Amino acid sequence: MMVTKNLENLQAKSDTGDRETFLYDYPHRDREDIQEYLNRITEIIELGAFDTAIASAIFTLETILPFMAEEENIEYETKSPSELLQVFDRKNLIDRETYNILMQAIALRDAFMEKREIEGDRNFAEGVFAIVNNLFRGLKNNN
């Protein structure tokens, strides 16, 4: 699976036009696509490409976060994934351990995307996958 995404934020003028609002460029996918991404992550883990699996899991997480935010009536477009996870943590929508693991995985994904040397391992990749998979399964209207 090839993961491509513009990690830069988009800028938009506010209604008054006097200041800029930064919008995070969340990927938008339907739930069938998300399920396919999750299936591929298990394949990537089995191939031993743990760094790629972590990056793919975080990409998939970014497709899930807007659904989670909408279910809770949380504005998400002006928040990065890290900021949105902080909101979920404060509102007890995710537990502290999940928050910490996902924040570490985001940092690893960012380093991987910047081609810095990282060392993901199987246990961590499987743990991140399990969290993302559980968050997806926990969405309302998820068949």
Side-chain angles (χ1 to χ4, degrees):
M1 170 171 66
M2 184 155 98
V3 176
T4 58
K5 181 174 181 315
N6 180 355
L7 297 178
E8 295 181 20
N9 290 344
L10 301 176
Q11 294 182 1
K13 292 285 185 187
S14 67
D15 291 339
T16 62
D18 59 353
R19 60 176 223 196
E20 292 181 309
T21 302
F22 294 95
L23 302 177
Y24 192 83
D25 187 19
Y26 284 98
H28 296 283
R29 303 291 187 268
D30 63 29
R31 293 172 192 239
E32 292 81 23
D33 288 342
I34 295 170
Q35 183 58 61
E36 184 61 30
Y37 293 147
L38 290 168
N39 294 342
R40 289 184 180 170
I41 293 169
T42 59
E43 295 170 8
I44 294 168
I45 291 171
E46 288 307 312
L47 292 172
F50 307 125
D51 300 343
T52 303
I54 293 166
S56 297
I58 295 304
F59 170 79
T60 305
L61 174 69
E62 288 180 345
T63 66
I64 295 169
L65 289 176
F67 289 115
M68 293 174 61
E70 287 172 354
E71 287 181 357
E72 300 296 329
N73 294 317
I74 297 171
E75 189 284 316
Y76 64 90
E77 291 177 320
T78 60
K79 294 175 180 57
S80 70
S82 298
E83 293 168 327
L84 195 52
L85 288 173
Q86 289 172 357
V87 172
F88 291 163
D89 178 49
R90 280 194 309 271
K91 292 182 173 274
N92 293 317
L93 300 173
I94 59 173
D95 62 47
R96 179 49 61 138
E97 182 179 2
T98 295
Y99 169 80
N100 289 334
I101 290 169
L102 291 176
M103 293 298 284
Q104 183 180 0
I106 288 171
L108 285 173
R109 185 278 312 265
D110 291 348
F112 177 74
M113 297 301 286
E114 294 170 1
K115 299 185 185 330
R116 287 187 274 146
E117 184 120 358
I118 65 168
E119 291 190 29
D121 64 36
R122 181 182 201 98
N123 288 337
F124 188 72
E126 288 176 340
V128 172
F129 166 76
I131 290 170
V132 173
N133 191 43
N134 286 337
L135 291 174
F136 177 66
R137 300 270 174 258
L139 293 175
K140 296 175 186 162
N141 302 316
N142 194 12
N143 298 339

